[in-house]
Amino acid sequence: MTEDSYLYFCRKVKQLIGLDLTAYKDRQMKRRLGTFMLRLEVNDYIELAKLLEKDKEALDKFRNFLTINVSEFFRNPEQFQTLKDKIIPSLMSPGKPLRIWSAGCSDGSEPYTILMILEELGIRNYQLIASDIDLEILERAKVGIYKKDSLRNVPPSLLDKYFIKGQDELYQFSPQLSKQVKFKRQNLLEDPYDKDLDLILCRNVVIYFTEEAKNKVFLKMAESLRPEGVLFVGGTESILTPKSLGLQTVLPFFYRKIGESKTAAL
Ligand SMILES: C[S@@+](CC[C@H](N)C(=O)[O-])C[C@H]1O[C@@H](n2cnc3c(N)ncnc32)[C@H](O)[C@@H]1O
């Protein structure tokens, strides 16, 4: 399969679903596409492009296949402990709502983890936005039903307090509380970002992007933070030159926007 046919395929996908595959790591994407083509018994990118163009069902399957939705509550619990003990208290400003965005929120485990932390800290004045490119996973996030294994890091006291235990070891996150999250579809590579945010979580999302796309996304996120707002990234997504984005490292995986603010800094 030639590079030209791959680029042709990427252009077709952009037309069909608005997603720029060239912004994702090349080798990883081609490997995943190879698996998808095997499943559909398609031999090359041109044939796949033709199939996706005429077969709506195949296109839906393809869209779902592209997004890797693995998530869990309190993913890297020690980092969420730091978020609770140090970062969130440092972002509080009297009378001003705490504006938080979970970017690439998948099935909701991440924004609901934040909700529990806010509740436990007694913070009621907040706005919590959660976005993902994948409409299907957003619907699941709104319903908020989870298998036990994605809850393995939830302390038992929080499990009792914030979840309803159903049948077959399934748990539903508090429907009253889940209403506090504003879920929306958003493509991080194309769509505009909210502004004046205190905290952005973008974890295990840019890991699949090229360096160029990753830098673009982090730069846009830095612009979306209010001065001294914080960007929280995933365990393998450290930013090598935060200063070039107007950020400084506060603690591993936490970057603060350089600038003056009335809020107490760490
Ligand atoms: C592995 S999950 C990470 C979930 C959560 N942040 C965590 O750390 O557990 C990655 C999510 O990023 C989303 N995603 C991938 N590309 C995206 C894009 N261009 N714009 C928005 N979301 C995207 C996927 O749909 C998926 O739900």
Side-chain angles (χ1 to χ4, degrees):
M1 280 179 277
T2 63
E3 194 56 24
D4 279 355
S5 65
Y6 180 64
L7 292 175
Y8 168 83
F9 176 73
C10 292
R11 280 198 299 278
K12 268 282 163 240
V13 171
K14 183 91 200 302
Q15 280 168 17
L16 290 170
I17 61 171
L19 189 64
D20 180 9
L21 293 190
T22 64
Y24 290 76
K25 282 182 189 154
D26 212 46
R27 226 174 336 141
Q28 223 170 339
M29 183 53 75
K30 285 179 180 162
R31 203 172 49 232
R32 283 180 60 71
L33 288 173
T35 313
F36 188 73
M37 288 195 278
L38 268 181
R39 268 194 216 168
L40 265 73
E41 296 177 337
V42 166
N43 294 315
D44 57 44
Y45 294 129
I46 307 286
E47 203 181 323
L48 183 59
K50 283 189 183 142
L51 178 72
L52 298 182
E53 215 169 3
K54 65 170 199 269
D55 185 338
K56 164 102 180 45
E57 205 180 309
L59 187 64
D60 285 344
K61 269 193 200 148
F62 177 68
R63 204 186 270 123
N64 289 338
F65 178 81
L66 273 185
T67 47
I68 300 167
N69 300 128
V70 183
S71 191
E72 63 178 308
F73 284 81
F74 292 94
R75 192 170 187 174
N76 310 109
E78 60 301 338
Q79 291 166 24
F80 276 98
Q81 196 63 46
T82 303
L83 183 74
K84 180 180 178 205
D85 296 343
K86 299 196 169 141
I87 303 293
I88 291 184
S90 81
L91 292 169
M92 299 300 295
S93 191
K96 198 173 168 283
L98 200 58
R99 280 172 50 78
I100 303 175
W101 173 29
S102 164
C105 66
S106 186
D107 64 2
S109 308
E110 187 174 275
Y112 294 152
T113 296
I114 295 289
L115 260 187
M116 287 189 275
I117 290 176
L118 294 173
E119 282 291 310
E120 291 301 297
L121 287 172
I123 298 171
R124 300 281 183 271
N125 192 11
Y126 59 80
Q127 292 161 4
L128 182 47
I129 306 157
S131 67
D132 203 284
I133 196 169
D134 182 348
L135 272 178
E136 208 173 291
I137 203 75
L138 285 171
E139 285 311 309
R140 272 177 39 203
K142 284 179 207 163
V143 176
I145 294 179
Y146 301 93
K147 290 194 187 135
K148 192 117 199 245
D149 40 316
S150 70
L151 302 167
R152 67 196 165 113
N153 291 324
V154 181
S157 59
L158 299 190
L159 199 61
D160 283 350
K161 201 165 159 185
Y162 297 109
F163 290 84
I164 303 162
K165 189 170 184 315
Q167 285 177 335
D168 304 324
E169 296 283 286
L170 293 174
Y171 290 77
Q172 181 171 28
F173 185 74
S174 158
Q176 272 144 306
L177 215 51
S178 64
K179 288 196 198 98
Q180 302 301 325
V181 183
K182 186 183 160 215
F183 285 103
K184 66 173 182 185
R185 184 187 184 271
Q186 180 187 38
N187 179 356
L188 291 172
L189 298 165
E190 301 278 336
D191 298 329
Y193 292 9
D194 285 82
K195 295 277 179 239
D196 197 29
L197 293 154
D198 294 284
L199 173 66
I200 301 175
L201 295 92
C202 183
R203 310 183 69 234
N204 310 296
V205 180
V206 300
I207 189 175
Y208 307 108
F209 293 177
T210 61
E211 268 316 286
E212 196 191 340
K214 174 176 146 178
N215 280 332
K216 210 169 115 189
V217 164
F218 280 154
L219 181 62
K220 275 173 78 182
M221 289 191 170
E223 285 166 4
S224 286
L225 286 170
R226 57 116 166 131
E228 293 190 6
V230 170
L231 172 62
F232 177 19
V233 302
T236 55
E237 296 166 319
S238 294
I239 303 176
L240 298 179
T241 55
K243 252 196 178 156
S244 66
L245 306 177
L247 299 169
Q248 65 188 26
T249 311
V250 212
L251 288 165
F253 317 113
F254 294 98
Y255 301 89
R256 193 180 288 284
K257 180 167 175 169
I258 300 167
E260 290 281 305
S261 156
K262 290 186 188 105
T263 316
L266 261 184

